[in-house]
Amino acid sequence: MDHLLQIEKGNPSEIEIQNEEMDRFSHLPEFIVHRILSSVQVPRVDLVRMSVLSKTWFHLTASFPVLEFNFLYFQSQRQSFFKYVEYTTSRFCRHNVTAHTFKLITTIEEPTELDIVNRCVELVLNKGVQELMIIVINPADRLRLPDTLLSVSMLKSLIIEGCELPSSLMADVVRFKSLIQLELGNVPIDDEEIKYLATSCPLLQEFHIHSCFGFKRFCIYGHQNLEKVVISGENQAERIDIEAPNLSTLSVGDVYQRRAPLLNLASCKKLTTVTYFGNPLPNSYGFTGFLSNFPFIENLILATKYKCNHLMWSSHSLRTLVLQSDCDLEEIEFNAPNLVLFIYTCDYIILWPSIMNEWWPRLRDSMHLKGCMQCYPGDIDTNWFQKLRRVLDKKNGFKVLNLYINAKYSQVFTELENLKAIELPPYELEHVELQLDVREEQSAHIAFVDAVLWCCRPRSLTLRSFSRPNACEKQSDVVKFTYKKLLEQEDECHTQIQIVCPSSSEAQKHFKSPSMALPRGGKTASFIKEEVLQEEAG
């Protein structure tokens, strides 16, 4: 910090003198230097230290409109961190320019630290800022945001965690005329403050509330631009009323999974994506009543730790359904003629709400054009495969089946006589994908493949293994067995099986012989049934 103060006073450092003739940065326009600074992926304090490379670099860093301070970069050097925050913020504000971004992530343990943060936030707000993020981790003394915040009309993004809203929130006029994104975490807020904030932000598109306390109702009326609402964490919302004609995404999650909130979303005609994580829906309400709130829903994630009873629903708009529940597979019945992807799992960790926003894009990208069912089941036995076969036979229109069996759940199916005694033809599918786990024995893999091929008759099948390289050769028997069983389902005189093995070194290798192991590169083997074209006798 001392060498930075020395440069500001006009005393050139030794590095500056030695490199004066080779200083190219000094001749760059200011906006280009700012672009370079914004592209360097290093902590903000290191950007300032780098300023000794140029005689003008230091002064340009002072006008760099992005101020980011993260306590984690200082390795618990509390005094140095807060000294750096105060020095850098004051230096920037003396240039009488507006900050684009101000981000502060820290803990506060002493009143002096709280005073420094208060002064810095006040300075930045007085000059104006477009993106403001203040996260106080495990606050002992909460930072009360200054009333100045309510007058920053150019603010576009506001993210607050572990703080308190300005004391004059309900008394003064809020001038958030440009705010697009609002996120509140661990902030005390009541019903009226939620309504007032939303009303004061006419351009608001995203409203997130995470683990806030003090409110029972989340009510927003007549908002024209609101597109996404997320209410998650340790919330106790008893009722959610939203009147927003352009709302497209709603996510509701309760860590403690208490009573499900009552919903009133009838006016949200564009609401197509819904995530619900919490207590099972009341019997009087039911799943059908739940879906009635979303007549145009296309994507639904429904997750609960508790066992659900019989689930039935009908939706002609639903295209993607993700269901996490201990509900028995046979107790799931739906009429969704446009359903493209159905994911069923018993493991709620897979669907933890904190990863939902990252999962949805991948989910959409991986959807097949034809109906696909993905299963992440719990305990597996022959009875489960019987249920799966009956589910497939309910005319759900699935053409693709993906099964992911975790090693801690799978069992070695040494006896399949009871399964084979059921005289049901295998269900016709276009493709089946099976994920194997090498922590299981080959006998478990072979029995697993045998059960799947009793259940269905695919035109193509993929074995996928996330094995260690030295375990690949051990899977050769599984590949041979799969080849044999697929061939048994067809007329051997008119069908051949082609094995396609993607490789990391080559685009593809094609094999006609089953005497192979799962490949080292992609650890994947695909089997494709091909009709043999017999030449007419001449």
Side-chain angles (χ1 to χ4, degrees), residues 250-382:
L250 173 67
S251 180
V252 179
D254 181 1
V255 171
Y256 294 119
Q257 301 205 9
R258 290 160 290 210
R259 180 181 177 182
L262 296 177
L263 302 175
N264 181 13
L265 306 159
S267 65
C268 302
K269 304 298 184 183
K270 295 184 179 180
L271 183 56
T272 57
T273 299
V274 176
T275 299
Y276 176 80
F277 180 89
N279 193 286
L281 302 166
N283 292 331
S284 58
Y285 194 33
F287 193 67
T288 302
F290 177 77
L291 277 182
S292 66
N293 287 280
F294 322 111
F296 307 104
I297 190 169
E298 296 180 4
N299 309 298
L300 173 63
I301 295 180
L302 180 64
T304 178
K305 295 180 183 178
Y306 304 102
K307 184 177 179 62
C308 296
N309 295 324
H310 198 73
L311 293 181
M312 297 180 63
W313 71 90
S314 177
S315 173
H316 287 267
S317 60
L318 194 64
R319 294 182 57 81
T320 303
L321 173 63
V322 182
L323 176 63
Q324 179 279 309
S325 172
D326 285 335
C327 180
D328 195 279
L329 194 60
E330 272 194 310
E331 295 184 356
I332 303 171
E333 295 186 21
F334 50 84
N335 176 25
N338 293 307
L339 192 67
V340 175
L341 178 62
F342 172 48
I343 297 180
Y344 167 77
T345 175
C346 295
D347 192 346
Y348 76 93
I349 296 178
I350 295 176
L351 300 177
W352 190 252
S354 62
I355 66 172
M356 287 302 180
N357 291 336
E358 300 177 5
W359 196 30
W360 265 121
R362 293 199 301 269
L363 200 64
R364 290 193 296 265
D365 293 341
S366 65
M367 286 196 302
H368 295 77
L369 295 177
K370 299 179 181 179
C372 174
M373 179 179 179
Q374 295 183 8
C375 285
Y376 301 78
D379 295 331
I380 294 285
D381 55 18
T382 55

Side-chain angles (χ1 to χ4, degrees), residues 500-511 519 521-522:
V500 182
C501 297
S503 172
S504 59
S505 57
E506 300 178 18
Q508 281 188 339
K509 289 183 180 179
H510 298 274
F511 295 88

